[in-house]
Amino acid sequence: MGISEKIRQSMTEGSWIRRMFEEGAVLKQRYGDENVFDLSIGNPVMEPPPEFRRELRKLAENPFPGMHRYMPNAGYEETRAAVAEQLSRETSIEFTAGDIVMTCGAAGGMNVTLRAILNPGEEVILFAPYFLEYINYVDNASGTLKILPTDEQFLPKLDYFETAVGPKTKCVIINSPNNPAGVVYSEDLLRDLGEIIRKKETEYGTQIFVLSDEAYCRLIYDALEFPTPLCCHRQGVAVRSHSKDLALPGERIGYIAVHPDCDNHDDLIAGLAFCNRTLGFVNAPALMQHVVRHLQSVTISIAEYQRKRDFLYGSLVEMGYSLMKPQGAFYLFPRAPVEDDVAFVRELQEHLVLTVPGSSFGGPGHIRISYCVDDRALEGSLDGFRKVAGKHGLC
Ligand SMILES: Cc1ncc(COP(=O)(O)O)c(C=O)c1O
């Protein structure tokens, strides 16, 4: 009785981050906030850049009539134009306002896109490890998931991919920089993926979308360039967000960008706007659209995240953990020194260090560590990591 069986089951299966959050709250109550080192959740500790408050203040001091009313479901024309201008600067693609739909964050954008393109039962290809919410998003749109393994660098295996794309494949989700692995796909790899997709489109007479989740595209380190997958496939939809680059996750502001040369482009934009409305988002928040219009070239300090990455990565390597140096986002994904990643997360928890098992991201044998936290939590966690490493003979 009460909530649906399906929802109850999904809540039980996909609740690791929530579980750590709840258990963390109990630990914090018992031992004090300052003694629990919560590296489990990707909630940026940084405050938005000063330009954000400046724009907010301008609006509060100079309100204009109608600024809180309903608007076209795709968002304000001026905001869409500002987003398109910045996107054109960052990529080699000429976007216009007509290619953009403003959304309630990347989560809203992913749901709206999947809903707009999928017929029930059509397949979505996903590479593991993946952002765990995709499972729910694809289910929300009645799609079927095909999850593919990746190589030791967490990059797609092209032969597996080629075999997996079939007549029912409608969409390939690419998440670069990746949550949880932090890997960034190179332009060469994206070109290879695009070629395989086009070969399969010709073979089956289908249209296969690349759905590129670019929530972390501005959080890139060591001066690496971010190549958008849209450069390598014109049936492409990019989903972006200001949750991470402007540290505004609570404000729910992001957007969808459709490749200007995508087949049935105008139909798709109309479908996206329709789904924005009918999924109940209606439109992205008005106030935030007014604000981010002027902040398209602004970000929080990327150098600060890089410093945190270097600190924790360097410390874990020194302790003997095996992990790849992430090129973007704000997560580390080390191998657990025991097979059972859940047991390993529990061991760390005994030392008041909170992480998430890799198996909940389709990456068993690993743990996900979020380093978008304050330095106190990073420094405080080292003792626990060291003790557990010692216990397993890493150092
Ligand atoms: C890969 C990925 N996509 C989408 C989202 C959702 O972001 P938003 O807050 O913009 O909805 C997240 C949030 O952590 C994420 O990690």
Side-chain angles (χ1 to χ4, degrees):
M1 299 292 267
I3 64 171
S4 88
E5 281 313 310
K6 185 174 169 180
I7 293 298
R8 191 179 302 286
Q9 195 184 339
S10 304
M11 283 168 71
T12 318
E13 282 169 0
S15 62
W16 258 106
I17 292 185
R18 216 182 86 183
R19 201 177 309 166
M20 292 313 285
F21 181 76
E22 283 162 7
E23 291 179 16
V26 173
L27 289 175
K28 283 171 194 170
Q29 230 171 19
R30 189 179 310 158
Y31 297 102
D33 264 12
E34 66 287 3
N35 297 314
V36 178
F37 312 109
D38 190 350
L39 315 183
S40 65
I41 194 166
N43 197 4
V45 72
M46 280 189 209
E47 291 301 321
E51 292 89 337
F52 172 75
R53 291 189 204 294
R54 185 194 68 204
E55 291 303 324
L56 208 51
R57 197 173 306 115
K58 260 203 272 179
L59 278 169
E61 287 168 2
N62 307 286
F64 54 89
M67 69 183 261
H68 303 295
R69 291 192 192 134
Y70 285 126
M71 68 187 80
N73 301 119
Y76 292 118
E77 181 76 12
E78 302 89 320
T79 306
R80 297 165 72 201
V83 165
E85 201 180 316
Q86 178 64 24
L87 267 177
S88 306
R89 258 196 297 272
E90 286 177 16
T91 65
S92 53
I93 305 167
E94 280 299 311
F95 289 95
T96 64
D99 303 316
I100 309 298
V101 175
M102 300 305 295
T103 63
C104 293
M110 293 297 287
N111 274 288
V112 163
T113 307
L114 289 164
R115 175 72 163 205
I117 64 176
L118 288 180
N119 290 300
E122 283 182 331
E123 278 170 11
V124 176
I125 290 186
L126 181 60
F127 301 105
Y130 48 78
F131 176 51
L132 69 170
E133 295 290 20
Y134 293 150
I135 310 282
N136 296 317
Y137 299 169
V138 171
D139 184 59
N140 288 344
S142 306
T144 303
L145 264 174
K146 212 179 226 185
I147 297 173
L148 301 185
T150 50
D151 65 16
E152 57 290 344
Q153 311 282 315
F154 304 112
L155 293 169
K157 299 176 180 182
L158 294 177
D159 49 344
Y160 279 51
F161 179 61
E162 184 154 4
T163 310
V165 182
K168 286 196 157 195
T169 305
K170 186 62 169 286
C171 174
V172 180
I173 294 181
I174 293 179
N175 174 218
S176 163
N178 177 265
N179 173 9
V183 66
V184 174
Y185 288 20
S186 71
E187 201 166 329
D188 282 349
L189 172 61
L190 293 170
R191 194 155 288 133
D192 289 345
L193 290 170
E195 270 169 26
I196 293 171
I197 293 173
R198 282 187 292 283
K199 194 171 116 187
K200 295 288 181 172
E201 282 180 325
T202 308
E203 186 179 336
Y204 298 123
T206 52
Q207 182 181 16
I208 302 174
F209 289 94
V210 164
L211 173 51
S212 172
D213 180 346
E214 305 182 0
Y216 297 94
C217 67
R218 291 191 181 139
L219 273 63
I220 300 267
Y221 309 123
D222 306 317
L224 196 72
E225 292 275 318
F226 167 72
T228 170
L230 267 57
C231 285
C232 303
H233 192 61
R234 69 186 171 85
Q235 315 297 351
V237 178
V239 170
R240 290 192 176 190
S241 157
H242 293 302
S243 291
K244 319 291 176 176
D245 63 13
L246 291 176
L248 296 174
E251 302 298 347
R252 314 309 306 136
I253 185 73
Y255 54 89
I256 301 168
V258 174
H259 195 298
D261 300 330
C262 184
D263 290 345
N264 309 310
H265 174 281
D266 294 354
D267 230 22
L268 178 56
I269 291 287
L272 294 169
F274 175 83
C275 291
N276 224 9
R277 185 183 103 215
T278 53
L279 282 173
F281 301 113
V282 182
N283 54 250
L287 200 57
M288 284 304 120
Q289 289 198 52
H290 292 307
V291 171
V292 302
R293 182 184 309 159
H294 304 287
L295 302 180
Q296 284 306 300
S297 57
V298 177
T299 63
I300 41 81
S301 166
I302 309 298
E304 185 63 5
Y305 277 135
Q306 183 167 323
R307 184 185 63 74
K308 287 176 189 287
R309 176 202 66 167
D310 291 344
F311 172 76
L312 195 56
Y313 170 81
S315 305
L316 293 182
V317 167
E318 217 175 273
M319 292 176 204
Y321 285 96
S322 158
L323 71 161
M324 213 192 68
K325 192 172 192 177
Q327 298 157 300
F330 42 50
Y331 308 101
L332 299 176
F333 202 58
R335 181 167 285 286
V338 289
E339 211 172 297
D340 184 348
D341 50 333
V342 174
F344 188 64
V345 162
R346 290 292 182 210
E347 282 185 45
L348 285 167
Q349 202 177 343
E350 282 168 24
H351 296 277
L352 304 183
V353 177
L354 308 184
T355 58
V356 186
S359 44
S360 57
F361 301 89
H366 295 78
I367 60 167
R368 192 195 75 167
I369 301 170
S370 175
Y371 59 83
C372 61
V373 297
D374 58 27
D375 288 351
R376 182 203 61 80
L378 293 180
E379 286 158 14
S381 71
L382 295 188
D383 188 49
F385 278 119
R386 192 171 294 110
K387 284 189 174 130
V388 178
K391 181 180 160 197
H392 293 287
L394 297 183
C395 56

